Amino acid sequence: MKAAITTTAKYLPEEVLSNFDLERMLDTNDEWIRTRTGIRERRILRDPAKPTSFMCTEVARQLLDKRGITADEIDLIIVATMTPDMIFPSTACLVQGNIQAKNAWGFDLSAACSGFVYGLHTGAQFIESGNCRKVMVIGADKMSSILDYTDRSTAILFGDGAAGVILEPAREGYGVLDARLYSDGANGKEHLLMPGGGSLNPPSHETIDQRLHFIKQDGKQVFKAAVMAMADVAEEIMERNGLTGDTIDYLVPHQANQRIIQATAERMGIGMDKVMMNIEYYGNTTAATVPICLAELDEQNKLHTGSNLVLASFGAGYTWGAIYVRWQ
Ligand code: UT7
């Protein structure tokens, strides 16, 4: 038995932070940001009383509404995030409490930009084993809470957002059919990280002074690794499943950089008309990019029974992977 995505939903904060807004805050400009990344604007959830669990709860409520079920039918909630409300309790528990999913257990999954892809594969296992009938997988990040708005190399890239799906047992031949996931901590750990706040560098005056509670990225190194890895894994999932550029309906890639997405599509032999891209409007929302893309394809009625989707991601860790979904 495989797991099908039966419902999708997304939440994006209303406030838009454009490249022109950033020009007033940093030594940067719209043209540089657009040509190097593809981003024009991103959404920001400024209200400190609305953390990541707020966005997840909005998504969870929409998922229940759209599916027409009550919260007590949910068996498991997986929240993929690198900006949890707190180190503990988990954001998944906060969401479970907010929607009163009294029969659900849940946990947070830490895989940065690959969080949703990792979470989808994980959630699918609980359906495949027969252990769960309804699993919520949500990817959410309030990136504005860990961005250094004095660092132009990272501040321009990210935005806030959340989205998710409900997984349920699939009809024969449909659903999450294959996944190939990777990690490489040896090469990844130095190039994309938030050094402060954990057990290595617990919060102190020094960690604050050294700005260790913000995201740090060596963009060039990550770019090189991302271009190679995302294209390799997408190609691998195609080969394993006998897919070609013609038989794939949509590539649903992580939205970190338009140039990485284009390189992946090129290697897959798939035209840009079949590539879901919304980086222009939301920037990189980390664990939320892939499910936001899915939710938008679904809203636009582009997903039909039998549509072949390849989801692909690359992020901190390094973590990366690709998933083949045959839409039910
Ligand atoms: O989602 C998680 C995974 N993350 C990624 O996949 C991100 C991967 N990396 C990237 O997308 C790109 O490396 C960036 C978009 C982050 C940077 O683009 P780049 O083409 O690699 O630029 P660069 O870092 O090599 O910088 C080129 C120049 C530098 O100036 P010099 O040394 O050539 O004079 C930078 O100082 O651009 C400068 N620069 C900027 N200029 C204006 C860097 N950031 C900015 C900026 N505005 N915001």
Side-chain angles (χ1 to χ4, degrees):
M1 191 206 318
K2 296 289 186 184
I5 296 172
T6 60
T7 321
T8 64
K10 71 175 201 287
Y11 171 83
L12 286 144
E14 273 170 28
E15 184 176 340
V16 172
L17 186 70
S18 72
N19 292 348
F20 297 105
D21 296 327
L22 287 168
E23 279 185 6
R24 289 191 286 275
M25 299 158 61
L26 288 162
D27 178 18
T28 188
N29 60 79
D30 172 62
E31 213 244 326
W32 190 96
I33 302 173
R34 267 191 300 103
T35 51
R36 299 285 178 130
T37 70
I39 303 167
R40 278 176 197 276
E41 57 189 45
R42 66 289 291 140
R43 302 295 180 90
I44 300 293
L45 186 53
R46 214 174 278 274
D47 185 347
K50 291 179 174 167
T52 297
S53 66
F54 167 83
M55 297 194 290
C56 294
T57 303
E58 292 286 315
V59 169
R61 291 198 172 120
Q62 281 183 53
L63 287 171
L64 295 174
D65 256 22
K66 282 189 172 178
R67 184 70 183 95
I69 57 173
T70 55
D72 53 14
E73 291 182 57
I74 300 296
D75 302 309
L76 167 62
I77 301 171
I78 301 174
V79 173
T81 186
M82 60 181 222
T83 50
D85 289 21
M86 295 167 264
I87 303 276
F88 67 89
S90 72
T91 311
C93 281
L94 301 174
V95 175
Q96 179 273 335
N98 288 346
I99 63 170
Q100 296 177 36
K102 62 179 194 295
N103 296 313
W105 63 290
F107 57 90
D108 287 3
L109 192 155
S110 168
C113 296
S114 300
F116 181 79
V117 164
Y118 270 42
L120 191 66
H121 184 46
T122 307
Q125 305 307 302
F126 287 93
I127 301 284
E128 289 183 20
S129 67
N131 192 279
C132 295
R133 300 283 301 173
K134 288 186 173 60
V135 176
M136 262 187 193
V137 183
I138 300 174
D141 273 297
K142 186 170 179 177
M143 295 306 292
S144 61
S145 67
I146 59 163
L147 276 182
D148 181 349
Y149 283 101
T150 66
D151 174 8
R152 70 177 183 175
S153 71
T154 52
I156 57 140
L157 299 172
F158 298 93
D160 301 337
V165 301
I166 295 177
L167 290 175
E168 297 179 64
R171 295 205 310 271
E172 178 82 35
Y174 296 94
V176 179
L177 295 186
D178 192 19
R180 189 72 181 95
L181 306 180
Y182 288 96
S183 64
D184 179 1
N187 286 307
K189 68 178 182 192
E190 282 165 27
H191 302 308
L192 182 49
L193 69 162
M194 188 178 89
S199 55
L200 177 62
N201 297 303
S204 66
H205 286 295
E206 288 78 51
T207 64
I208 304 264
D209 290 345
Q210 293 164 19
R211 306 182 83 74
L212 298 188
H213 300 273
F214 293 120
I215 189 167
K216 314 278 179 200
Q217 175 172 246
D218 179 341
K220 255 195 181 6
Q221 291 294 336
V222 178
F223 187 91
K224 270 192 261 170
V227 164
M228 287 284 288
M230 224 160 91
D232 281 351
V233 76
E235 213 168 50
E236 189 182 350
I237 207 99
M238 287 171 76
E239 274 166 25
R240 277 161 61 125
N241 295 282
L243 294 164
T244 65
D246 290 334
T247 55
I248 294 171
D249 293 281
Y250 287 104
L251 166 66
V252 186
H254 172 54
Q255 311 279 308
N257 188 314
Q258 187 177 283
R259 291 180 289 147
I260 298 173
I261 297 172
Q262 282 162 342
T264 305
E266 205 166 298
R267 181 97 81 80
M268 292 171 76
I270 177 171
M272 287 309 286
D273 54 323
K274 289 185 175 183
V275 179
M276 181 58 195
M277 199 149 63
N278 54 22
I279 188 170
E280 195 176 343
Y281 304 107
Y282 308 133
N284 183 349
T285 54
T286 305
T289 64
V290 171
I292 291 173
C293 286
L294 277 178
E296 293 200 332
L297 281 172
D298 200 12
E299 278 165 20
Q300 294 160 12
N301 290 318
K302 288 181 170 163
L303 302 176
H304 307 291
T305 302
S307 294
N308 286 319
L309 311 182
V310 171
L311 282 44
S313 69
F314 183 90
Y318 296 130
T319 55
W320 70 101
I323 292 190
Y324 168 37
V325 177
R326 190 144 193 267
W327 199 256
Q328 174 175 299

